[in-house]
Structure formats: C-alpha cells, structure tokens
Amino acid sequence: GLDYENKRLIFEQIRLINREKGYSALLALHDPDYALRYCDRIILLKNGGIEGTINCRQDGIQEILPKLRILYPRLDMIKYGHSFLTLK
C-alpha cells in the first residue's frame, strides 16, 4: 500500500482528471473515509450484492452514516470534515 501522502496525491490526480476531462474512474476501496472524501458516488457491496448507494454530493450525513453501518457496524462520526469516520 501507499503511505498517506502518496495515496492522497493519487486520489487528487484521479479527481482532477475526472473534473477536467470528464472521465469516470471505478475504484475498489475499503476505506469509507477516502471514498467519501474523493468519490461522487459510492456503491456498497456485500456478499456479491449491492447493499446500497451513496450520492456524496447530495446525501447528508444523516443518510450516509446508516448506509455505511451496513458494512461497518462499528462506524462512528467524530467530526464532519476531513477525517470524520472512525471505527470504535
């Protein structure tokens, strides 16, 4: 895996290409914090099926947190902003 700074740079580049060129990217992530920070839409998969979807631009934290708890039952919000998710 990449260290934090290089991971952040890669995600920033993907987002820049998406915004400037209009290209889409499909990412398989296991870190909900990165997914919420860098993705516009999230599809939640569990046991080979779709458990839910999140529109990061429209859904509020009231809609997002319960959907994420399907996959991460011990998930909690510590603050709304950069790193706002933690596992208890």
Side-chain angles (χ1 to χ4, degrees), residues 15 35 43 58 67-68:
R15 184 166 48 186
I43 299 172
Q58 294 178 355
K67 291 177 182 180
L68 286 176

Side-chain angles (χ1 to χ4, degrees), residues 18-85:
N18 170 259
R19 302 281 193 259
E20 289 183 354
K21 306 272 186 183
Y23 296 154
S24 295
L26 178 63
L27 307 170
L29 302 174
H30 297 275
D31 184 333
D33 192 41
Y34 272 97
L36 289 169
R37 195 178 314 172
Y38 293 104
C39 298
D40 295 328
R41 280 179 257 150
I42 299 171
I43 299 172
L44 303 168
L45 302 175
K46 183 175 182 180
N47 298 325
I50 295 175
E51 287 290 321
T53 61
I54 296 172
N55 184 325
C56 298
R57 290 184 173 192
Q58 294 178 355
D59 292 349
I61 195 66
Q62 296 81 12
E63 292 95 16
I64 292 172
L65 207 52
K67 291 177 182 180
L68 286 176
R69 283 195 178 121
I70 293 168
L71 300 179
Y72 305 97
R74 296 174 44 200
L75 194 66
D76 195 18
M77 184 177 79
I78 55 174
K79 67 178 179 174
Y80 199 107
H82 283 291
S83 295
F84 70 89
L85 299 173

